[in-house]
Every structure is written in C-alpha cells, then in structure tokens.
Amino acid sequence: MIVTEIIDIIKKQIPDGSKVNVHGWVKSTRHGGKISFIELNDGSSLKNLQIVAKIEETEDYDQIIKFAKTGSSIMASGILKQTDKSESGFELISSKVSLLKSSDEDYPLQKKEHSLEFLRDIAHLRPRSKTFNAIFKIRSKLAFAIHQYFNENDFIWTATPILTSSDAEGAGDIFTIQESSESPLFDKKAFLTVSGQLHGEAFAQAFKKIYTFGPTFRSEHSHTFRHANEFWMIEPEVAFCDLLQLQILIEDFIKYITKYVTEHCKDELEFFFKEKPFLKERIDTLLTAEYKRVDYIEAIKILNEAVKKGVKFDDGVTEFKFGTDIGTPEERYLCEKVFNCPIFLQNLPLEMKAFYMKQNPKEKWYDGNDKLEGFSGITVAANDLLIPGVGEVIGGSQREDEKKKIEDEAAKRGIDLSSIKWYVDLRKYGYYSSSGFGLGFERMLMVLLELNIRDTIPFPRTPGTLKF
C-alpha cells in the first residue's frame, strides 16, 4: 500500500478524485448524526488534512466514533477533494478509516489553547502542538541553512571536543567532570566545553576557513529567558582575516540564513506573524538593512548625550564612562532609536573582553580621564552585533597573534595557561592573524521568533529540573 504524505498533497496539488491513503495522528474530531470530521496531521506539514467520514460511504463507520480520539494514530483511505473549507485546501472523503494505535483519555493536548509554560512541562508531547511543530521545523531548516552557507563558501566543518581541559574565556561557570580518584581517565581535570573556538583556531591555521557547530555547556544558575545550561554554538574561524573582513562575513552569513528560512518556512513563519506581526519587520530589517559600525567610545558619548536629553534606561545607568558595560536597554536604544538598523559595536575595552583578543594600535586607545578604575584605555579588535528589538546576538573578534601579549594578559587576570600551552604555541608557527565569531544557535531562533530559550530546544536544560 502506498501512503501519501500531507505535504505532498499540498505541494503537488493532487487532482480532484485521486484515490489516496494517509496515516497520522488525530488532532480533533467532530461527530454528527451521519457524518464525522477528523483533523489529521502526519508531521510533514503544519496544516491538517480533514477526513470526512460519512455513514453510508465509510466502512465500519460506527467504530470511528469509538476509536478516533485525539492523539490516536489512524489510517484513512478515500478520494481527495479540493475545498476552501480546509486549511490544507483538501479533504479526504473516506471509504475506510482504521485504528493503528489508540490514545488514552488523559492525552493532554486537547483542542484548546495551551500556555507555553504548560507545554514545557510535557516536553515529550509538545512537538505535537502546532506551535512547537512550527518551531522545530524552523530549527531544522535553520541548521541546514548554516551548514549550507559554510559549505558553499568552502569552510571545513570541524568537530571540536566536548571534553576539554580549559575554560576558553577564563570566565568560569564550567561543568567539571567527576572522576574516580583511584583510577582517573585523564592527567588533568576535565570539563564540558564552553566553546570550540580555541581548537577551531588550530584548524584554521591549516585550512584557513573552518566552522564548528555543536553543543556547549555553562553551569551558571541563571533563570532568565536567554540562558540555558546546554545549547548549541556556531563558531567560524578564518585565518588571514581582520575585524572588518569578519564583519563582512557576519552580515553576509546572517542575511543568507535568514533568507533561507523565509523561503523554506513560509507557513511556519506566517503562523508566528499572525500573533507577532512585528517579527516580519525585524526579519525584513535583517535582510535589507546595511549593518553600521560604531566604536565603543562613540557609543558611550551618544548614550551620555541621551541621558542629558532625559532618556532613562531600564537598568538605571545614568553615566557612561570608558569601561561601563553597555547593557541590553542601551544596545537596543543604539540600534533602534539612533541608527535604526543592526550595528557592530566595535573596538571594545580590553578588560571587558577575553584575554585572547587582538589589542588595537595606540591610535585606537582611549586616553581620556573619564574611565572606570582598573581600565587601561586599551581597546581590542572585537565587536558585538546588535539587532533592533533584541540587542546583542553575535560576539566576535580578531585574535591576538603576539604570543607575549596573550601570556601577559592571561597573567594579569590570573589565568593559568598551562592547560592550553598548545594554543599559545600556535603563535610560534606562522600564526599571522585569525578572526572568528560565536552565534548561539538558539539565540538566532529567538531573534526570528521572539521566544524564551526554553522553547527553542527540544528538551531544555535549565537550573532546577532534569525531568526529561
């Protein structure tokens, strides 16, 4: 028996009168005296196919009322008919409907609105809801777009380790692997990776253009809508690349993957646009705007002027000095109110960024008096991509190529480089320059769909629970 998928019925526009077999899960049913309507979904499309079962035309009609419960899986055979009354544009006039597997009466996804909080508590079932069907279809297409972009641009995909001996940025919040003290596996402490960047740099020195795309882990006890303890990161690294060239790559990359999703997830995006129409404008901005470059020093001047004019930021900051952290309210003000487009906030204070970032030449340093204690005035060739409606999405930098500068900066911060001596030693062997960025995969989904990070991951790992 040949089974036709609903997506093929919709896309191929199978003619009226075609005989088909379909199977899937019952989303809802309506029963009349001599006719029943079953909304069926097989996972291939966001849209349901309506099964019309008439008492005089459907074999064992009386049994349908008994077994066609929400959540059950069924097989239906019959004749296709085009109609404007069904969201798929078709209905199936059934000659036979058979039960494949029944669903218990306590199936929690009934025909009503369910809150995202409720659905998080049934993560094993929530992919069956329309909302999460759309989310995870978009997630899949977005992942494919990322791989396709790098493949088309001759990047080498690199599988960097999940078990590592270092905290890439020296920021802490790492998971330590518990080992037996009697028979340890390794010669030093092992951690779950927070980034594939350091290992990626080693491969970039051989292949020039590489990227990583894999899971990363943070142990921070944060309950915000942006934070999770397990998430996926995309981290390209390019040798012989400076900050400007990196920014050109970032803009091209974001526009490519966004366009791919808009072209291949039209139904899913329209589903979200109905509830959140502002998303369409955000996506259009990502695709069409010119991404501008703003120095950190210029940004704090703009923000101080805004405060003088009476602008109040939600985080309560009223004065911006060299070294003041520019938070999400300020990031959004810059890209929404001042520049009205995505911006690269660039040339950031050394002490605010990771030890491995390229120190700028002195003409790009800050030599004024209004700087916070402990800040040298040195800036690094780093940037954050800020997007209207969101704030920071991507962080990236040119890497420091001078071995001694890396060693000195690590020493100032109390970072022990013994576990990544190999990384520092790369600078001894033809390391001219390298640049790269990190994009949280789930963060990109949040940009496109305005979601809590818990709703972008099939089985999220956040503080407080490990139910699934």
Side-chain angles (χ1 to χ4, degrees):
M1 177 186 293
I2 297 174
V3 176
T4 303
E5 292 191 332
I6 293 174
I7 191 66
D8 289 333
I9 292 172
I10 296 170
K11 283 186 175 180
K12 294 181 180 178
Q13 296 289 300
I14 296 175
D16 266 342
S18 298
K19 186 173 182 179
V20 298
N21 305 296
V22 295
H23 56 199
W25 297 273
V26 175
K27 295 300 176 181
S28 66
T29 58
R30 289 182 291 121
H31 300 298
K34 297 183 178 181
I35 190 169
S36 293
F37 299 94
I38 303 170
E39 292 293 320
L40 188 75
N41 193 281
D42 64 0
S44 67
S45 171
L46 193 64
K47 296 177 179 179
N48 299 330
L49 177 66
Q50 181 169 269
I51 311 298
V52 180
K54 298 178 180 179
I55 191 169
E56 68 276 10
E57 297 179 10
T58 305
E59 185 178 328
D60 296 327
Y61 175 84
D62 291 341
Q63 297 300 309
I64 294 174
I65 296 176
K66 294 181 180 180
F67 67 65
K69 300 172 184 175
T70 301
S72 298
S73 56
I74 64 171
M75 171 81 77
S77 303
I79 304 298
L80 272 181
K81 178 182 177 184
Q82 291 188 355
T83 175
D84 295 333
K85 297 178 181 179
S86 171
E87 65 175 355
S88 67
F90 291 86
E91 60 185 13
L92 180 70
I93 310 301
S94 67
S95 57
K96 184 176 182 179
V97 179
S98 305
L99 175 68
L100 299 178
K101 190 71 173 181
S102 64
S103 177
D104 287 0
E105 295 285 355
D106 63 352
Y107 181 66
L109 293 175
Q110 297 300 319
K111 190 179 180 181
K112 63 178 182 179
E113 290 293 324
H114 296 289
S115 70
L116 295 178
E117 290 79 8
F118 170 77
L119 292 171
R120 284 174 206 151
D121 201 45
I122 53 169
H124 59 310
L125 297 176
R126 69 177 182 170
R128 304 188 192 189
S129 70
K130 206 157 195 172
T131 297
F132 284 93
N133 185 290
I135 290 171
F136 295 131
K137 286 253 181 79
I138 293 172
R139 181 184 172 104
S140 175
K141 293 296 185 183
L142 181 63
F144 183 84
I146 289 165
H147 284 294
Q148 182 161 290
Y149 175 84
F150 288 122
N151 187 57
E152 289 179 1
N153 287 279
D154 299 318
F155 280 69
I156 299 295
W157 176 67
T158 305
T160 52
I162 291 176
L163 292 177
T164 180
S165 62
S166 69
D167 172 6
E169 298 187 4
D173 294 326
I174 53 177
F175 284 98
T176 303
I177 305 298
Q178 298 280 340
E179 283 204 82
S180 167
S181 58
E182 296 178 0
S183 56
L185 282 171
F186 306 111
D187 60 351
K188 58 189 68 174
K189 280 188 177 180
F191 310 102
L192 293 180
T193 185
V194 300
S195 169
Q197 178 206 316
L198 303 189
H199 295 89
E201 283 188 50
F203 266 62
Q205 292 301 306
F207 296 101
K208 185 179 177 182
K209 297 190 293 186
I210 69 94
Y211 74 103
T212 75
F213 189 174
T216 53
F217 307 86
R218 304 287 167 89
S219 65
E220 58 190 330
H221 286 268
S222 177
H223 295 270
T224 77
F225 72 97
R226 290 186 174 204
H227 291 88
N229 299 118
E230 178 185 340
F231 54 96
W232 286 62
M233 284 283 288
I234 303 102
E235 296 177 289
E237 190 74 28
V238 183
F240 307 107
C241 178
D242 62 19
L243 185 64
L244 177 58
Q245 292 168 318
L246 179 68
Q247 291 168 347
I248 293 169
L249 170 65
I250 291 171
E251 181 174 346
D252 189 55
F253 170 70
I254 291 294
K255 288 182 175 179
Y256 180 98
I257 62 175
T258 302
K259 184 180 180 183
Y260 187 93
V261 169
T262 62
E263 291 176 347
H264 293 83
C265 300
K266 292 179 180 178
D267 289 343
E268 290 77 14
L269 287 175
E270 283 298 327
F271 175 78
F272 284 98
F273 290 164
K274 288 176 184 177
E275 182 182 347
K276 306 171 184 177
F278 63 87
L279 287 176
K280 191 174 189 307
E281 181 180 352
R282 180 185 296 175
I283 290 173
D284 288 343
T285 298
L286 286 177
L287 289 172
T288 61
E290 178 185 352
Y291 296 14
K292 296 185 178 178
R293 294 157 180 80
V294 183
D295 280 0
Y296 172 86
I297 295 170
E298 179 188 351
I300 60 174
K301 291 177 181 177
I302 292 171
L303 294 171
N304 279 323
E305 285 299 315
V307 171
K308 289 178 183 178
K309 293 177 182 178
V311 175
K312 294 182 179 180
F313 296 106
D314 291 344
D315 55 11
V317 180
T318 58
E319 184 180 14
F320 296 87
K321 296 183 178 182
F322 184 89
T324 301
D325 185 25
I326 295 179
T328 300
E330 293 82 25
E331 291 171 346
R332 292 189 57 177
Y333 177 82
L334 289 168
C335 57
E336 293 172 25
K337 304 297 183 182
V338 180
F339 297 99
N340 194 32
C341 67
I343 66 171
F344 291 106
L345 183 63
Q346 63 183 11
N347 298 323
L348 303 161
L350 168 66
E351 287 81 6
M352 291 175 62
K353 307 305 288 184
F355 72 93
Y356 53 72
M357 294 187 178
K358 175 71 175 174
Q359 295 182 25
N360 281 325
K362 288 187 177 180
E363 58 265 27
K364 291 188 177 182
W365 293 4
Y366 177 75
D367 56 8
N369 293 323
D370 52 336
K371 58 187 178 184
L372 297 180
E373 183 179 348
F375 282 81
S376 60
I378 299 174
T379 63
V380 290
N383 65 237
D384 295 329
L385 176 63
L386 314 182
I387 290 178
V390 181
E392 180 192 349
V393 174
I394 285 177
S397 74
Q398 185 174 341
R399 319 309 189 187
E400 182 56 71
D401 54 280
E402 295 186 35
K403 181 172 178 286
K404 188 173 187 311
K405 284 186 177 180
I406 282 190
E407 292 172 335
D408 290 347
E409 190 56 35
K412 286 179 190 175
R413 303 181 188 208
I415 297 172
D416 180 8
L417 293 179
S418 61
S419 64
I420 51 169
K421 182 179 181 299
W422 60 268
Y423 171 76
V424 181
D425 282 354
L426 288 173
R427 277 73 185 163
K428 295 165 56 178
Y429 308 120
Y431 191 113
Y432 175 71
S433 66
S434 191
S435 296
F437 69 83
L439 168 64
F441 180 49
E442 288 79 16
R443 180 66 61 89
M444 191 62 202
L445 278 167
M446 293 164 71
V447 170
L448 296 175
L449 303 178
E450 191 72 9
L451 297 170
N452 188 309
I453 194 171
R454 293 168 175 81
D455 299 323
T456 65
I457 304 174
F459 296 96
R461 301 301 185 229
T462 55
T465 181
L466 200 62
K467 182 176 179 180
F468 298 97

